[in-house]
Amino acid sequence: MTKSSITYDLIIIVSLMAMLLVSPAYAVDGTALLKQIDRNLNPESYEMYRKLINIEPDGSKKEFTLFSVKKGADKVAALFLAPASEKGRSTLRLGDNMWLYIPNVGKPIRITSLQSVVGGVFNNADILQLDYAAEYNVEKTEETGNEYLLHLKAKTKTVAYDRIRLWADKNKKLPVKIECLTEANMLIKTLYFKDVKEFGGGIARPSVIETDSPLYKGYKSVMIYANIKKRDFKDEVFTLIFMPNIESLR
Amino acid sequence: MIKTAITFCFCLLLIVCCLRSVSFAEEYKFDISEIEKKPYHLGGYIELSPSLSGLDRDASLYKLKFYNREEGSAIEEYNANLQLEGSYEKGISKLYIKTNTDYKKSYLGDSQKTMVYEGYLSLKPSSSLTVDIGKKTLKWGKGYAWNPVAFVDRPKNPDDPELSLEGFIVASADYIKSFSGPLKTVSFTPVIIPVYDHLNDTLGTKNRLNFAGRLYLLFYDTDIDFIFLSGGSRTTRYGVDFSRNITPSFEIHGEFAFINDYKKKFIDGSGNAYDSVYDAKSYLLGIRYLTEKDTTYIFEYYHNGTGFTVDEMNDYFPYIDNGYNTYLSTGNDSALKRASSLTEGNYGRMNPMKDYLYLRISQKEPFDILYLTPSITGICNINDSSFSLSPELLYTGITNLELRLRMTFIAGERYSEYGEKQNNYRTEFRARYYF
């Protein structure tokens, strides 16, 4: 082996190593990333408490406290604990089906994802949120500085928002901001994820979600999270007949 | 009196404005003590509702009710209502009670009535099984204004379908089973309803033990119920209902009830009483549609197989008129008293005729005014083309306070259902505070 051939080989090896170091190791798998974001937000099955605050342009507020339970990809239920006027109301979502139980009315009635049982900017789909990966396909993933930008498209016409733009923190793989859009790319609302907090059991996620909407100028709604715990439930909990009994799960 | 009522309403609105102005000083927080579960709960609401009703002095039902008194062209009423709810939980058991106290000040004087609407013991050995014993409402059916399959419930008021109702004393169970696949849920609810002296005696024939049941399925994203009632207090009846979202914002629902050997009591124009026994079929079809602008439409068609025909009502109303004329000329009110007893629970029940349409249009938060919901409700009797129309404003912007202003106008030809009601219009303001 001549000296020049050794030098030539070394140049090739060093060049290859340099190429490996400077180029991206792999393309981001958007679907896997979205599933990771879902799991980082919540365990697949859980119980949690939330407070919803609607804030009007003059600063006046209305607050709601909810106890929520979720199982698997498509079962979620929530019970209103406060205020007194809403206490005992419960909502149930099984995939695309949603119901509202009002104690005085005494039977569940079907509701839609675009309605809001609390008024304000959050609608029923926001309150009874399923995994994003269950409802959306990832069309495109971009990397911008410390964030990923995921362009999501609803899997079916029954999903509340046809398109979503989701900005996620690269390190934590948690959402930072979500824009909800119509099919014609009109902005319906923006969700801001804030104050990442340890909830125990390995759950660290934003504890506050703020939202505003060009459709409700000057109005703001806030969702504050507490006591998120991994918990398994029987399927029977997520049925119409069980809706008046969700309190018994607390 | 009316001035007092209006002043009261304005004072209330002023208080509301003051409450709003002091409610937004602090930052939002989530105190964990707010979600602590207690074994007991006490809550409910208190409600004040003054109303003014304009009387139709030519209407048959006005003559029936006011033939021996003079109340002018309008009557005022002042209602106060207290609904209390309490519960206590220990282990798998829960005691629940709901009482309703009504105080009314009207042209008839003061009256007060307290009733236990519900009161039962609930046992929940697992998430699949619940057993309830006591007084409770079952609220079967999918219709918003009417429920022909609600065989074990008191009839609800289509003008205010969300009002609480008094239950019956029953023993019932709910067994639920979930599956994967197109059939997602099955549940069965057997119910025992005893009817004896002072025990559910308004349900029908006494000294009978009645059985009812409901089989519920969530099948291909459609809620389906099969219902029956048997036992002798009422004739045997069967029902089926369904509800389904065609799109996220478009829901359809329906009910069908078959009542075996229904006995209809009616009179002819001379007051001769008749019974007619037949198998009655009642049904309802409805939709609920939400537009992109947050307008909700609820539309229902109801066929009441137990209802009266136009001809039967054309015998009933003239009978009252003739009785009234006899009273004016002779002072003899026996025909009117007889008509009054026939009206009770028969001709006088809510929507006593055959075919009705119901339409409610409500607009959530118009002009970005949060928590304000204006709506208008129309109920039309297709058989005689009479109708009622109720515009309404509902405001829920103050925590635990609900304010509602509603007017109802009714119209119809002579001897039509709404044309012969005692009122021409009714205005009601309702303030309800939850605690």
Side-chain angles (χ1 to χ4, degrees):
Chain A
M1 190 176 273
T2 64
K3 209 172 187 180
S4 64
S5 69
I6 292 169
T7 309
Y8 181 74
D9 286 351
L10 272 172
I11 289 168
I12 290 175
I13 291 164
V14 169
S15 304
L16 277 170
M17 286 174 73
M19 279 171 72
L20 283 169
L21 283 171
V22 295
S23 66
Y26 50 88
V28 177
D29 178 347
T31 306
L33 176 60
L34 187 62
K35 284 181 179 169
Q36 185 62 55
I37 289 168
D38 278 327
R39 280 300 63 78
N40 290 347
L41 276 174
N42 301 307
E44 195 170 26
S45 295
Y46 64 79
E47 67 165 47
M48 71 173 167
Y49 289 87
R50 283 176 293 173
K51 179 180 272 192
L52 268 68
I53 309 173
N54 290 331
I55 304 163
E56 293 183 52
D58 65 0
S60 57
K61 292 174 192 166
K62 195 170 182 190
E63 299 187 351
F64 305 84
T65 309
L66 291 105
F67 169 67
S68 305
V69 293
K70 179 174 172 281
K71 180 175 184 175
D74 68 343
K75 299 183 183 75
V76 56
L79 169 75
F80 284 83
L81 305 176
S85 57
E86 316 294 319
K87 189 173 168 62
R89 289 185 178 213
S90 58
T91 51
L92 169 69
R93 180 171 185 186
L94 290 177
D96 296 333
N97 301 287
M98 283 189 195
W99 296 267
L100 168 68
Y101 171 83
I102 303 171
N104 253 2
V105 177
K107 63 184 174 191
I109 52 166
R110 280 188 175 250
I111 53 173
T112 73
S113 55
L114 293 170
Q115 282 177 303
S116 177
V117 289
V118 292
V121 189
F122 284 121
N123 64 26
N124 296 338
D126 301 320
I127 296 162
L128 298 171
Q129 174 72 53
L130 301 179
D131 287 356
Y132 288 105
E135 295 194 283
Y136 294 93
N137 289 319
V138 181
E139 279 192 330
K140 194 167 80 173
T141 307
E142 294 174 41
E143 291 183 57
T144 53
N146 292 327
E147 291 174 353
Y148 292 114
L149 170 57
L150 280 74
H151 297 260
L152 311 183
K153 169 84 175 137
K155 287 181 178 174
T156 66
K157 291 274 181 196
T158 57
V159 178
Y161 312 114
D162 189 69
R163 289 178 179 278
I164 276 182
R165 282 201 288 259
L166 188 157
W167 283 263
D169 183 288
K170 259 187 184 172
N171 296 324
K172 293 177 180 148
K173 295 197 173 59
L174 284 168
V176 177
K177 186 173 92 169
I178 286 179
E179 286 181 351
C180 306
L181 308 146
T182 64
E183 197 172 3
N185 269 331
M186 191 184 90
L187 181 65
I188 302 173
K189 72 179 65 156
T190 308
L191 305 171
Y192 305 92
F193 293 72
K194 296 181 173 177
D195 301 338
V196 174
K197 189 179 143 187
E198 288 278 349
F199 286 90
I203 304 166
R205 56 153 292 155
S207 60
V208 174
I209 302 176
E210 281 183 9
T211 184
D212 55 31
S213 166
L215 307 177
Y216 292 86
K217 284 202 176 77
Y219 291 89
K220 193 166 82 168
S221 289
V222 182
M223 213 185 281
I224 311 167
Y225 289 73
N227 284 22
I228 306 176
K229 279 184 205 157
K230 194 172 180 179
R231 185 176 166 189
D232 205 15
F233 299 95
K234 288 198 166 181
D235 286 344
E236 283 72 23
V237 163
F238 301 91
T239 57
L240 260 66
I241 312 297
F242 196 85
M243 286 183 82
N245 298 312
I246 294 175
E247 173 76 30
S248 67
L249 300 172
R250 294 179 67 216
Chain B
M1 213 61 159
I2 286 304
K3 275 184 184 168
T4 318
I6 291 166
T7 311
F8 168 77
C9 295
F10 273 106
C11 288
L12 202 67
L13 284 170
L14 205 65
I15 293 165
V16 163
C17 292
C18 294
L19 280 173
R20 283 180 65 79
S21 64
V22 296
S23 66
F24 57 83
E26 58 181 305
E27 259 307 305
Y28 51 79
K29 60 181 191 297
F30 197 174
D31 186 352
I32 216 74
S33 64
E34 295 175 44
I35 54 176
E36 191 185 330
K37 188 175 178 181
K38 297 184 180 86
Y40 58 86
H41 163 68
L42 189 65
Y45 64 74
I46 186 158
E47 176 184 292
L48 299 171
S49 53
S51 69
L52 175 72
S53 301
L55 298 172
D56 178 359
R57 297 163 74 94
D58 296 325
S60 300
L61 294 181
Y62 170 85
K63 292 170 185 168
L64 189 64
K65 204 165 180 183
F66 295 91
Y67 67 93
N68 56 358
R69 48 192 319 134
E70 176 54 60
E71 295 298 337
S73 59
I75 50 172
E76 300 155 24
E77 265 185 26
Y78 298 87
N79 294 289
N81 181 274
L82 173 69
Q83 187 165 292
L84 286 174
E85 277 179 82
S87 66
Y88 180 77
E89 272 184 79
K90 188 164 188 183
I92 62 162
S93 57
K94 179 183 173 183
L95 267 172
Y96 174 80
I97 188 159
K98 184 199 276 185
T99 63
N100 189 77
T101 303
D102 258 324
Y103 169 78
K104 183 182 280 188
K105 185 176 170 64
S106 69
Y107 64 95
L108 292 169
D110 294 8
S111 65
Q112 188 202 309
K113 194 176 184 184
T114 298
M115 296 175 83
V116 176
Y117 270 16
E118 293 188 88
Y120 58 87
L121 171 69
S122 188
L123 301 171
K124 193 155 194 47
S126 77
S127 53
S128 302
L129 182 66
T130 311
V131 178
D132 296 333
I133 300 164
K135 192 172 189 181
K136 67 177 288 192
T137 52
L138 296 172
K139 301 272 183 78
W140 288 347
K142 297 285 185 260
Y144 182 74
W146 300 282
N147 293 114
V149 300
F151 300 143
V152 199
D153 281 312
R154 291 167 211 273
K156 63 183 178 187
N157 180 356
D159 290 324
D160 214 343
E162 297 188 0
L163 281 180
S164 295
L165 294 173
E166 185 191 354
F168 287 107
I169 294 168
V170 300
S172 71
D174 279 313
Y175 179 72
I176 319 167
K177 191 80 193 147
S178 288
F179 305 94
S180 52
L183 179 63
K184 286 195 173 72
T185 312
V186 174
S187 82
F188 182 57
T189 309
V191 186
I192 300 170
I193 316 124
V195 177
Y196 294 93
D197 269 335
H198 310 298
L199 184 68
N200 299 330
D201 50 7
T202 54
L203 193 77
T205 309
K206 290 178 196 169
N207 302 319
R208 299 279 195 281
L209 192 62
N210 300 273
F211 298 92
R214 177 180 66 163
L215 176 70
Y216 163 78
L217 313 172
L218 177 56
F219 187 55
Y220 281 106
D221 290 338
T222 308
D223 298 316
I224 304 166
D225 292 298
F226 297 96
I227 293 165
F228 77 92
L229 168 68
S230 184
S233 291
R234 289 179 176 176
T235 57
T236 301
R237 45 203 71 193
Y238 308 93
V240 61
D241 68 35
F242 76 94
S243 171
R244 181 189 169 87
N245 271 78
I246 301 292
T247 71
S249 53
F250 191 88
E251 181 262 1
I252 58 166
H253 56 265
E255 298 184 21
F256 176 80
F258 178 86
I259 302 173
N260 212 25
D261 293 336
Y262 177 74
K263 186 193 273 188
K264 182 157 77 176
K265 292 180 176 176
F266 59 100
I267 54 167
D268 63 15
S270 310
N272 300 309
Y274 299 92
D275 283 346
S276 165
V277 177
Y278 61 99
D279 295 336
K281 298 171 198 75
S282 296
Y283 45 88
L284 175 139
L285 266 176
I287 61 159
R288 183 190 295 253
Y289 175 58
L290 175 74
T291 69
E292 283 183 6
K293 291 187 189 302
D294 258 343
T295 310
T296 302
Y297 294 86
I298 300 172
F299 178 68
E300 290 183 342
Y301 164 68
Y302 171 46
H303 174 76
N304 176 15
T306 66
F308 296 101
T309 62
V310 171
D311 286 345
E312 285 162 349
M313 294 304 272
N314 279 338
D315 285 333
Y316 163 69
F317 289 129
Y319 178 68
I320 296 173
D321 283 357
N322 292 338
Y324 181 69
N325 292 336
T326 304
Y327 171 76
L328 290 181
S329 54
T330 67
N332 179 357
D333 64 357
S334 57
L336 284 169
K337 282 186 171 154
R338 182 154 179 271
S340 191
S341 70
L342 283 162
T343 303
E344 189 71 32
N346 196 30
Y347 290 99
R349 67 188 136 139
M350 272 170 273
N351 304 122
M353 291 180 69
K354 289 276 185 194
D355 298 284
Y356 293 92
L357 290 176
Y358 177 92
L359 176 65
R360 180 176 172 83
I361 306 170
S362 58
Q363 176 63 54
K364 188 187 146 222
E365 297 165 358
F367 315 113
D368 287 346
I369 308 170
L370 215 55
Y371 312 116
L372 180 74
T373 308
S375 62
I376 185 159
T377 304
I379 301 177
C380 176
N381 180 326
I382 304 172
N383 305 121
D384 62 18
S385 304
S386 65
F387 62 91
S388 73
L389 206 59
S390 307
E392 177 187 307
L393 278 176
L394 178 71
Y395 184 70
T396 56
I398 311 302
T399 300
N400 294 328
L401 185 64
E402 186 183 284
L403 302 174
R404 188 181 82 173
L405 181 65
R406 168 187 270 191
M407 298 187 77
T408 300
F409 304 96
I410 58 178
E413 297 292 318
R414 189 146 172 75
Y415 296 150
S416 67
E417 180 188 345
Y418 287 97
E420 295 298 344
K421 286 203 184 286
Q422 68 173 43
N423 299 333
N424 272 328
Y425 66 87
R426 180 181 161 86
T427 307
E428 184 196 68
F429 174 76
R430 189 179 81 182
R432 181 184 281 183
Y433 181 75
Y434 292 87
F435 53 87

